[in-house]
Amino acid sequence: QAKRLQASWLSYQTGMEEETARLLAWESELLQAISENQFVLYYQPQLSLRTNLLEGFEVLVRWQHPQRGLLMPGEFLPLCEQLGLSQVLDLVILRNAIASIQRWQQQGVHIPLAINMSPIHFEQEGLKQELKGLLQQYAVSPEMVELEVTENTAMQDMEKGSNFALELQQMGIKVSIDDFGTGYSSLAYLRKMPIEKIKIDRSFVMDMTSNDSDMMIVKTMIKLAHGLGKRILAEGVETVEQLNLLRSLSCDAVQGYYIAKPLPETEALAFFRAYPR
Ligand code: C2E
Ligand code: CA
Ligand code: CA
Ligand code: CA
């Protein structure tokens, strides 16, 4: 009995050591990736259903790993968070994205970018200063930048969340609520928060053409947003049926594979230029 216990303790300990070793390896690779800027931005178009014009692109990060190839956010963002590197990475992405806006403008392409913020970053004092500095350095106007924060992040500390959103709004930067419907929102605060738009999570859009309750949820979210004077965008739109249904429900904007997948820079620029204006 004692022997068996000892054996299982040893294998548990070995497991822990392997886990620690794995994290340490990732940590040094991530630190190197950050210092060498191995991150690549992809851009997914957002289409206004009111004007039928492109209204922006969402920035989605990929890691061009020297050995492992192109890694998706799901493969490294959780590690970043575990290692306490989310804020640093957010700033690297922010800098890259604002540099993109400048580079695109120099080529005659004027379109806002929506940038995702990791949960712990929102409400941080330093972020505002960082943003101000970057906008100045790259001569980018604040109206070109939108920050996406998840519902839970924004609502965690609602007082702080809405103050922070207010300060960003005063700077001219828009904030939108991401993955709406997946977390816990207080409707009262949603009304109070100076947010630009609400993004309906893909999980509700996915089955809305076949599932009546999902359709009702989406319909209600759209009504709610409009009742609060906010714009609303549906993400994960993959079919023309979904698009038409959303249009008939007066959804303001859509994003998803049906319009375009997240595109590397050259393709995003080509997509923008080819789109009717
Ligand atoms: P998200 O913010 O909800 O982004 C939407 C995700 O859905 C993206 O996955 C996008 O590629 C995918 N998507 C877009 N349209 C469709 C569609 O029609 N069908 C399907 N099946 N999927 C669609 P991705 O790029 O793998 O990003 C996953 C998550 O990682 C994002 O979810 C976001 O939470 C996070 N993330 C991505 N880029 C960044 C970043 O630069 N910074 C931070 N902090 N988080 C990021
Ligand atoms: Ca997002
Ligand atoms: Ca989202
Ligand atoms: Ca989502």
Side-chain angles (χ1 to χ4, degrees), residues 48-118:
S48 162
L49 294 180
R50 305 225 165 265
T51 62
N52 289 319
L53 301 174
L54 294 184
E55 61 175 37
F57 282 87
E58 178 177 359
V59 173
L60 295 157
V61 70
R62 276 89 181 96
W63 177 5
Q64 186 62 65
H65 192 286
Q67 285 91 37
R68 301 176 207 261
L70 196 68
L71 301 181
M72 300 299 282
E75 300 176 86
F76 60 92
L77 290 185
L79 281 161
C80 269
E81 198 161 338
Q82 256 183 298
L83 291 164
L85 292 171
S86 300
Q87 273 166 277
V88 188
L89 183 61
D90 273 0
L91 291 183
V92 173
I93 296 166
L94 204 56
R95 173 178 292 277
N96 285 336
I98 291 175
S100 295
I101 300 176
Q102 183 194 46
R103 195 165 53 247
W104 292 16
Q105 283 180 342
Q106 286 163 350
Q107 299 169 60
V109 174
H110 295 267
I111 187 140
L113 295 185
I115 308 160
N116 291 287
M117 286 290 114
S118 61

Side-chain angles (χ1 to χ4, degrees), residues 58 116 148 178 199:
E58 178 177 359
N116 291 287
E148 292 192 3
D178 206 357
K199 297 185 76 176

Side-chain angles (χ1 to χ4, degrees), residues 195-238:
I195 47 171
E196 156 74 8
K197 73 171 96 129
I198 293 172
K199 297 185 76 176
I200 308 177
D201 192 64
R202 182 169 71 88
S203 55
F204 300 102
V205 175
M206 215 157 50
D207 297 324
M208 66 178 294
T209 49
S210 58
N211 181 319
D212 282 347
S213 40
D214 283 354
M215 197 278 285
M216 274 308 296
I217 291 173
V218 171
K219 185 176 173 175
T220 307
M221 284 180 182
I222 296 171
K223 282 215 166 118
L224 171 70
H226 288 161
L228 298 173
K230 317 282 187 207
R231 303 185 65 244
I232 187 153
L233 176 148
E235 63 178 24
V237 175
E238 295 185 354

